[in-house]
Amino acid sequence: MAPARIIVLISGTGSTLAALIRAAQAPDSAFEIVGVLADGDAPGLAHARQAAIPTAVVPLRDHPTRADWDRALAAAIAELSGRALPDLVVLAGFMKLVGPAVLSAHPGRIINTHPALLPSFPGAHGVRDALAHGVKITGATVIEVDAGIDTGRILAQRAVEVHEGDTEETLHERIKVVEREMLVDVVSSLAAAPAPQPA
Ligand code: GRF
């Protein structure tokens, strides 16, 4: 079976993307990364360029409305993907909500990773909120993206203990270690699964 073709969206340092690139470079990988897209000049794009993966940048500020940006994002994903739409769109530290244009172009084929155990602590500050709440266990979650804020179907979760003296940075770094491994596992299993047959 040909490897599944995936597009990855990032906003930041891209350590999660780097883990996906390493996995995709393995000889028996069930997926290949055909493009990486960012919503600004994300440092993580360097990982894609080093691996000679095509990249694109679609900043929100370059578009008059959110809906225009969302349409431009959908067009950029299609362009990066070339001959056919991607089998999977992976949000790996993409810090913006995708809208109806992107969601309707890839129904059921967009996943996101979040650094907390959803449904607890959704949104942009999952690690900070968990720490502030004083939980002893937090972790990471991979969801199927829907139109809500981190409300999609849960595909996988892994727990991470909160240590005495943890800061947002120290806790987030430990969560990321688990998150990278889990996201690679989820992408690999979705990629290996036979494509759903049209009804
Ligand atoms: C991950 O923890 C992700 O859940 C969150 O941002 C982080 C991205 O890290 N939204 P990196 O940019 O891949 O290092």
Side-chain angles (χ1 to χ4, degrees):
M1 201 163 84
R5 306 166 66 254
I6 76 170
I7 296 269
V8 182
L9 276 60
I10 66 167
S11 295
T13 50
S15 70
T16 319
L17 165 66
L20 287 168
I21 290 175
R22 281 193 299 277
Q25 290 169 338
D28 57 351
S29 174
F31 66 92
E32 61 175 333
I33 302 172
V34 295
V36 173
L37 200 149
D39 57 333
D41 193 17
L45 288 170
H47 298 298
R49 292 180 181 135
Q50 246 154 33
I53 298 169
T55 63
V57 176
V58 185
L60 179 57
R61 65 175 181 279
D62 289 0
H63 299 273
T65 67
R66 184 94 193 191
D68 292 316
W69 172 76
D70 181 41
R71 281 189 288 274
L73 204 58
I77 292 170
E79 193 175 330
L80 273 177
S81 188
R83 57 185 167 79
L85 284 179
D87 299 297
L88 199 60
V89 177
V90 180
L91 309 189
F94 189 67
M95 301 307 284
K96 290 206 175 43
L97 294 177
V98 296
V102 174
L103 289 168
S104 58
H106 309 280
R109 286 183 286 128
I110 309 176
I111 66 171
N112 183 26
T113 181
H114 181 77
L117 292 177
L118 295 170
S120 301
F121 314 117
H125 306 293
V127 181
R128 184 187 306 169
D129 298 345
L131 209 50
H133 199 90
V135 298
K136 302 301 177 202
I137 301 280
T138 182
T141 306
V142 177
I143 55 170
E144 190 184 305
V145 175
D146 63 9
I149 301 180
D150 298 324
T151 52
R153 185 167 65 94
I154 292 175
L155 300 175
Q157 292 190 301
R158 300 225 179 134
V160 173
E161 225 178 286
V162 179
H163 294 170
E164 203 62 41
D166 256 332
T167 63
E168 185 179 349
E169 290 67 34
T170 58
L171 179 55
H172 198 173
E173 277 317 307
R174 278 206 320 286
I175 291 171
K176 279 193 192 181
V177 172
V178 165
E179 203 175 0
R180 290 190 282 262
E181 202 185 287
M182 175 170 63
L183 188 61
V184 166
D185 290 351
V186 171
V187 170
S188 299
S189 63
L190 289 175
Q197 298 310 311

